[in-house]
Short mmCIF file of all heavy atoms in Angstrom, two decimals:
data_model
loop_
_atom_site.label_atom_id
_atom_site.label_comp_id
_atom_site.label_asym_id
_atom_site.label_seq_id
_atom_site.Cartn_x
_atom_site.Cartn_y
_atom_site.Cartn_z
N LEU F 121 -5.47 14.10 -0.34
CA LEU F 121 -5.90 14.77 0.89
C LEU F 121 -5.22 16.13 1.01
O LEU F 121 -5.86 17.13 1.34
CB LEU F 121 -5.58 13.90 2.10
CG LEU F 121 -5.92 14.50 3.47
CD1 LEU F 121 -7.42 14.77 3.57
CD2 LEU F 121 -5.44 13.60 4.58
N SER F 122 -3.94 16.17 0.72
CA SER F 122 -3.19 17.43 0.76
C SER F 122 -3.74 18.43 -0.25
O SER F 122 -3.91 19.62 0.07
CB SER F 122 -1.71 17.16 0.49
OG SER F 122 -0.99 18.36 0.48
N ILE F 123 -4.06 17.98 -1.44
CA ILE F 123 -4.62 18.86 -2.47
C ILE F 123 -5.97 19.40 -2.00
O ILE F 123 -6.27 20.59 -2.17
CB ILE F 123 -4.76 18.11 -3.82
CG1 ILE F 123 -3.37 17.78 -4.38
CG2 ILE F 123 -5.56 18.93 -4.82
CD1 ILE F 123 -3.39 16.81 -5.56
N PHE F 124 -6.78 18.56 -1.40
CA PHE F 124 -8.09 18.98 -0.89
C PHE F 124 -7.93 20.05 0.19
O PHE F 124 -8.63 21.07 0.18
CB PHE F 124 -8.84 17.75 -0.34
CG PHE F 124 -10.19 18.07 0.22
CD1 PHE F 124 -11.23 18.45 -0.62
CD2 PHE F 124 -10.42 18.02 1.58
CE1 PHE F 124 -12.49 18.75 -0.11
CE2 PHE F 124 -11.66 18.31 2.11
CZ PHE F 124 -12.70 18.68 1.27
N ILE F 125 -6.99 19.86 1.11
CA ILE F 125 -6.75 20.84 2.17
C ILE F 125 -6.24 22.15 1.58
O ILE F 125 -6.65 23.24 2.01
CB ILE F 125 -5.78 20.27 3.23
CG1 ILE F 125 -6.45 19.10 3.96
CG2 ILE F 125 -5.34 21.35 4.21
CD1 ILE F 125 -5.51 18.28 4.83
N GLU F 126 -5.34 22.08 0.60
CA GLU F 126 -4.85 23.29 -0.06
C GLU F 126 -6.01 24.05 -0.72
O GLU F 126 -6.06 25.29 -0.66
CB GLU F 126 -3.80 22.94 -1.11
CG GLU F 126 -2.49 22.47 -0.53
CD GLU F 126 -1.56 21.86 -1.57
OE1 GLU F 126 -2.00 21.61 -2.71
OE2 GLU F 126 -0.39 21.62 -1.22
N ALA F 127 -6.94 23.32 -1.34
CA ALA F 127 -8.10 23.96 -1.97
C ALA F 127 -8.99 24.64 -0.93
O ALA F 127 -9.50 25.74 -1.17
CB ALA F 127 -8.90 22.93 -2.77
N ILE F 128 -9.16 24.01 0.22
CA ILE F 128 -9.95 24.62 1.30
C ILE F 128 -9.28 25.91 1.78
O ILE F 128 -9.95 26.93 1.99
CB ILE F 128 -10.15 23.64 2.46
CG1 ILE F 128 -11.08 22.50 2.04
CG2 ILE F 128 -10.71 24.35 3.70
CD1 ILE F 128 -11.18 21.38 3.03
N ILE F 129 -7.96 25.88 1.94
CA ILE F 129 -7.23 27.09 2.35
C ILE F 129 -7.42 28.19 1.32
O ILE F 129 -7.64 29.36 1.67
CB ILE F 129 -5.73 26.77 2.56
CG1 ILE F 129 -5.55 25.84 3.76
CG2 ILE F 129 -4.92 28.06 2.74
CD1 ILE F 129 -4.15 25.27 3.89
N CYS F 130 -7.36 27.84 0.05
CA CYS F 130 -7.55 28.82 -1.03
C CYS F 130 -8.94 29.44 -0.95
O CYS F 130 -9.10 30.66 -1.06
CB CYS F 130 -7.33 28.15 -2.38
SG CYS F 130 -7.45 29.26 -3.79
N ILE F 131 -9.96 28.62 -0.72
CA ILE F 131 -11.34 29.12 -0.62
C ILE F 131 -11.50 30.03 0.60
O ILE F 131 -12.13 31.09 0.51
CB ILE F 131 -12.33 27.94 -0.59
CG1 ILE F 131 -12.34 27.24 -1.96
CG2 ILE F 131 -13.73 28.40 -0.19
CD1 ILE F 131 -13.02 25.90 -1.96
N ILE F 132 -10.95 29.62 1.72
CA ILE F 132 -11.03 30.46 2.93
C ILE F 132 -10.31 31.79 2.71
O ILE F 132 -10.79 32.85 3.12
CB ILE F 132 -10.47 29.72 4.16
CG1 ILE F 132 -11.39 28.54 4.51
CG2 ILE F 132 -10.31 30.67 5.35
CD1 ILE F 132 -10.82 27.60 5.55
N ALA F 133 -9.16 31.75 2.04
CA ALA F 133 -8.42 32.98 1.76
C ALA F 133 -9.21 33.89 0.83
O ALA F 133 -9.21 35.12 1.00
CB ALA F 133 -7.05 32.65 1.17
N LEU F 134 -9.91 33.31 -0.14
CA LEU F 134 -10.78 34.12 -1.01
C LEU F 134 -11.90 34.76 -0.21
O LEU F 134 -12.23 35.93 -0.41
CB LEU F 134 -11.35 33.26 -2.14
CG LEU F 134 -10.38 32.90 -3.25
CD1 LEU F 134 -11.02 31.88 -4.20
CD2 LEU F 134 -9.93 34.13 -4.01
N ALA F 135 -12.50 33.99 0.70
CA ALA F 135 -13.55 34.54 1.56
C ALA F 135 -13.00 35.65 2.44
O ALA F 135 -13.67 36.67 2.66
CB ALA F 135 -14.15 33.43 2.42
N LEU F 136 -11.79 35.48 2.92
CA LEU F 136 -11.13 36.50 3.73
C LEU F 136 -10.96 37.78 2.93
O LEU F 136 -11.20 38.88 3.45
CB LEU F 136 -9.78 35.97 4.21
CG LEU F 136 -8.93 36.84 5.11
CD1 LEU F 136 -9.62 37.04 6.45
CD2 LEU F 136 -7.57 36.21 5.31
N SER F 137 -10.57 37.65 1.68
CA SER F 137 -10.34 38.84 0.87
C SER F 137 -11.65 39.50 0.42
O SER F 137 -11.72 40.72 0.34
CB SER F 137 -9.48 38.50 -0.35
OG SER F 137 -10.12 37.54 -1.16
N ILE F 138 -12.68 38.71 0.17
CA ILE F 138 -13.95 39.27 -0.33
C ILE F 138 -14.84 39.72 0.84
O ILE F 138 -15.26 40.88 0.88
CB ILE F 138 -14.67 38.25 -1.22
CG1 ILE F 138 -13.85 37.99 -2.49
CG2 ILE F 138 -16.07 38.75 -1.58
CD1 ILE F 138 -14.32 36.81 -3.31
N ALA F 139 -15.12 38.82 1.75
CA ALA F 139 -16.06 39.14 2.83
C ALA F 139 -15.45 40.08 3.88
O ALA F 139 -16.12 40.99 4.36
CB ALA F 139 -16.53 37.85 3.51
N LYS F 140 -14.20 39.84 4.22
CA LYS F 140 -13.55 40.65 5.26
C LYS F 140 -12.75 41.81 4.69
O LYS F 140 -12.17 42.59 5.43
CB LYS F 140 -12.63 39.77 6.12
CG LYS F 140 -13.30 38.59 6.78
CD LYS F 140 -14.13 39.04 7.95
CE LYS F 140 -14.69 37.81 8.65
NZ LYS F 140 -15.38 38.12 9.85
N LYS F 141 -12.68 41.87 3.37
CA LYS F 141 -11.96 42.94 2.67
C LYS F 141 -10.50 43.07 3.11
O LYS F 141 -9.98 44.16 3.30
CB LYS F 141 -12.69 44.26 2.85
CG LYS F 141 -14.15 44.21 2.44
CD LYS F 141 -14.57 45.38 1.67
CE LYS F 141 -16.03 45.40 1.34
NZ LYS F 141 -16.59 44.29 0.66
N LYS F 142 -9.85 41.92 3.26
CA LYS F 142 -8.43 41.87 3.62
C LYS F 142 -7.62 41.59 2.36
O LYS F 142 -7.75 40.52 1.75
CB LYS F 142 -8.16 40.79 4.67
CG LYS F 142 -8.94 40.97 5.96
CD LYS F 142 -8.50 42.22 6.68
CE LYS F 142 -9.21 42.36 8.01
NZ LYS F 142 -8.81 43.53 8.73
N ILE F 143 -6.79 42.54 1.98
CA ILE F 143 -6.00 42.43 0.75
C ILE F 143 -5.09 41.20 0.78
O ILE F 143 -4.92 40.52 -0.24
CB ILE F 143 -5.14 43.71 0.54
CG1 ILE F 143 -6.03 44.94 0.45
CG2 ILE F 143 -4.25 43.58 -0.69
CD1 ILE F 143 -6.80 45.08 -0.83
N TYR F 144 -4.51 40.90 1.93
CA TYR F 144 -3.57 39.78 2.00
C TYR F 144 -4.24 38.45 1.68
O TYR F 144 -3.58 37.50 1.29
CB TYR F 144 -2.87 39.72 3.36
CG TYR F 144 -3.77 39.67 4.57
CD1 TYR F 144 -4.38 38.50 4.97
CD2 TYR F 144 -3.99 40.82 5.32
CE1 TYR F 144 -5.21 38.47 6.08
CE2 TYR F 144 -4.80 40.80 6.43
CZ TYR F 144 -5.41 39.61 6.82
OH TYR F 144 -6.21 39.57 7.92
N GLY F 145 -5.57 38.37 1.80
CA GLY F 145 -6.28 37.15 1.44
C GLY F 145 -6.08 36.77 -0.02
O GLY F 145 -5.99 35.59 -0.36
N TRP F 146 -6.01 37.78 -0.89
CA TRP F 146 -5.79 37.51 -2.32
C TRP F 146 -4.44 36.83 -2.55
O TRP F 146 -4.33 35.92 -3.38
CB TRP F 146 -5.83 38.81 -3.13
CG TRP F 146 -7.18 39.43 -3.19
CD1 TRP F 146 -7.56 40.61 -2.60
CD2 TRP F 146 -8.35 38.94 -3.86
NE1 TRP F 146 -8.88 40.85 -2.86
CE2 TRP F 146 -9.40 39.85 -3.64
CE3 TRP F 146 -8.60 37.80 -4.63
CZ2 TRP F 146 -10.67 39.67 -4.17
CZ3 TRP F 146 -9.88 37.62 -5.15
CH2 TRP F 146 -10.88 38.54 -4.92
N PHE F 147 -3.42 37.25 -1.83
CA PHE F 147 -2.09 36.68 -2.02
C PHE F 147 -1.99 35.27 -1.45
O PHE F 147 -1.33 34.40 -2.02
CB PHE F 147 -1.03 37.62 -1.43
CG PHE F 147 -1.00 38.94 -2.13
CD1 PHE F 147 -1.66 40.04 -1.61
CD2 PHE F 147 -0.37 39.08 -3.35
CE1 PHE F 147 -1.68 41.26 -2.29
CE2 PHE F 147 -0.37 40.28 -4.03
CZ PHE F 147 -1.03 41.38 -3.50
N ILE F 148 -2.65 35.05 -0.34
CA ILE F 148 -2.70 33.70 0.23
C ILE F 148 -3.46 32.78 -0.73
O ILE F 148 -3.04 31.65 -0.99
CB ILE F 148 -3.33 33.72 1.63
CG1 ILE F 148 -2.45 34.52 2.60
CG2 ILE F 148 -3.55 32.30 2.15
CD1 ILE F 148 -3.11 34.83 3.94
N ALA F 149 -4.58 33.27 -1.26
CA ALA F 149 -5.36 32.47 -2.22
C ALA F 149 -4.56 32.16 -3.47
O ALA F 149 -4.59 31.03 -3.97
CB ALA F 149 -6.65 33.21 -2.58
N LEU F 150 -3.83 33.15 -3.98
CA LEU F 150 -2.99 32.92 -5.16
C LEU F 150 -1.95 31.84 -4.88
O LEU F 150 -1.77 30.92 -5.68
CB LEU F 150 -2.30 34.21 -5.60
CG LEU F 150 -1.29 34.08 -6.74
CD1 LEU F 150 -1.96 33.57 -8.01
CD2 LEU F 150 -0.59 35.40 -6.99
N THR F 151 -1.28 31.94 -3.74
CA THR F 151 -0.26 30.96 -3.38
C THR F 151 -0.84 29.55 -3.33
O THR F 151 -0.31 28.63 -3.97
CB THR F 151 0.37 31.32 -2.02
OG1 THR F 151 0.98 32.60 -2.12
CG2 THR F 151 1.41 30.29 -1.63
N PHE F 152 -1.92 29.39 -2.60
CA PHE F 152 -2.48 28.04 -2.46
C PHE F 152 -3.19 27.58 -3.73
O PHE F 152 -3.24 26.38 -4.00
CB PHE F 152 -3.35 27.95 -1.21
CG PHE F 152 -2.53 27.76 0.02
CD1 PHE F 152 -2.07 28.85 0.73
CD2 PHE F 152 -2.16 26.50 0.44
CE1 PHE F 152 -1.27 28.69 1.84
CE2 PHE F 152 -1.36 26.33 1.56
CZ PHE F 152 -0.91 27.42 2.26
N GLY F 153 -3.70 28.50 -4.52
CA GLY F 153 -4.24 28.13 -5.83
C GLY F 153 -3.16 27.56 -6.73
O GLY F 153 -3.37 26.56 -7.43
N ILE F 154 -1.99 28.18 -6.71
CA ILE F 154 -0.85 27.67 -7.47
C ILE F 154 -0.46 26.29 -6.96
O ILE F 154 -0.19 25.38 -7.75
CB ILE F 154 0.35 28.65 -7.40
CG1 ILE F 154 0.04 29.91 -8.22
CG2 ILE F 154 1.63 27.98 -7.88
CD1 ILE F 154 1.05 31.02 -8.05
N TYR F 155 -0.43 26.12 -5.64
CA TYR F 155 -0.09 24.81 -5.07
C TYR F 155 -1.09 23.75 -5.52
O TYR F 155 -0.69 22.62 -5.85
CB TYR F 155 -0.06 24.87 -3.55
CG TYR F 155 1.08 25.64 -2.95
CD1 TYR F 155 1.05 26.03 -1.62
CD2 TYR F 155 2.20 26.00 -3.69
CE1 TYR F 155 2.09 26.73 -1.04
CE2 TYR F 155 3.24 26.71 -3.13
CZ TYR F 155 3.18 27.06 -1.81
OH TYR F 155 4.20 27.77 -1.24
N VAL F 156 -2.37 24.08 -5.54
CA VAL F 156 -3.39 23.11 -5.96
C VAL F 156 -3.15 22.69 -7.41
O VAL F 156 -3.12 21.50 -7.72
CB VAL F 156 -4.82 23.69 -5.79
CG1 VAL F 156 -5.85 22.84 -6.50
CG2 VAL F 156 -5.17 23.82 -4.32
N VAL F 157 -2.97 23.66 -8.29
CA VAL F 157 -2.75 23.35 -9.70
C VAL F 157 -1.48 22.52 -9.88
O VAL F 157 -1.48 21.50 -10.57
CB VAL F 157 -2.69 24.64 -10.55
CG1 VAL F 157 -2.25 24.35 -11.97
CG2 VAL F 157 -4.04 25.33 -10.54
N TYR F 158 -0.40 22.95 -9.24
CA TYR F 158 0.86 22.22 -9.37
C TYR F 158 0.72 20.78 -8.85
O TYR F 158 1.17 19.84 -9.51
CB TYR F 158 1.99 22.93 -8.62
CG TYR F 158 3.25 22.11 -8.64
CD1 TYR F 158 4.05 22.10 -9.77
CD2 TYR F 158 3.60 21.31 -7.56
CE1 TYR F 158 5.19 21.31 -9.81
CE2 TYR F 158 4.73 20.53 -7.60
CZ TYR F 158 5.53 20.52 -8.73
OH TYR F 158 6.63 19.74 -8.78
N ASP F 159 0.11 20.62 -7.69
CA ASP F 159 -0.01 19.28 -7.10
C ASP F 159 -0.91 18.37 -7.93
O ASP F 159 -0.65 17.17 -8.03
CB ASP F 159 -0.50 19.36 -5.66
CG ASP F 159 0.58 19.85 -4.71
OD1 ASP F 159 1.77 19.80 -5.09
OD2 ASP F 159 0.24 20.28 -3.60
N ILE F 160 -1.96 18.91 -8.52
CA ILE F 160 -2.81 18.10 -9.41
C ILE F 160 -2.02 17.65 -10.63
O ILE F 160 -2.08 16.49 -11.02
CB ILE F 160 -4.08 18.88 -9.81
CG1 ILE F 160 -5.03 18.99 -8.62
CG2 ILE F 160 -4.78 18.20 -10.99
CD1 ILE F 160 -6.23 19.88 -8.86
N VAL F 161 -1.26 18.58 -11.21
CA VAL F 161 -0.44 18.23 -12.37
C VAL F 161 0.59 17.17 -12.00
O VAL F 161 0.79 16.19 -12.73
CB VAL F 161 0.26 19.49 -12.96
CG1 VAL F 161 1.33 19.13 -13.96
CG2 VAL F 161 -0.78 20.40 -13.59
N ALA F 162 1.22 17.33 -10.84
CA ALA F 162 2.23 16.34 -10.40
C ALA F 162 1.57 15.00 -10.09
O ALA F 162 2.13 13.94 -10.42
CB ALA F 162 2.96 16.86 -9.17
N PHE F 163 0.39 15.02 -9.48
CA PHE F 163 -0.31 13.78 -9.13
C PHE F 163 -0.71 13.02 -10.39
O PHE F 163 -0.69 11.79 -10.42
CB PHE F 163 -1.54 14.10 -8.28
CG PHE F 163 -2.23 12.88 -7.74
CD1 PHE F 163 -1.63 12.10 -6.77
CD2 PHE F 163 -3.48 12.52 -8.20
CE1 PHE F 163 -2.26 10.98 -6.25
CE2 PHE F 163 -4.12 11.40 -7.71
CZ PHE F 163 -3.51 10.63 -6.73
N MET F 164 -1.06 13.75 -11.44
CA MET F 164 -1.43 13.12 -12.70
C MET F 164 -0.20 12.75 -13.53
O MET F 164 -0.33 12.27 -14.64
CB MET F 164 -2.36 14.05 -13.49
CG MET F 164 -3.68 14.29 -12.76
SD MET F 164 -4.73 15.51 -13.56
CE MET F 164 -5.03 14.74 -15.12
#
Side-chain angles (χ1 to χ4, degrees):
L121 177 62
S122 178
I123 293 169
F124 180 70
I125 293 168
E126 289 168 349
I128 291 171
I129 293 169
C130 183
I131 291 167
I132 293 170
L134 285 172
L136 182 66
S137 61
I138 295 168
K140 303 285 185 174
K141 306 223 184 304
K142 301 294 184 180
I143 301 286
Y144 55 79
W146 292 111
F147 297 98
I148 296 169
L150 174 62
T151 299
F152 279 90
I154 289 171
Y155 290 165
V156 167
V157 171
Y158 174 79
D159 286 342
I160 288 173
V161 168
F163 187 69
M164 296 173 62

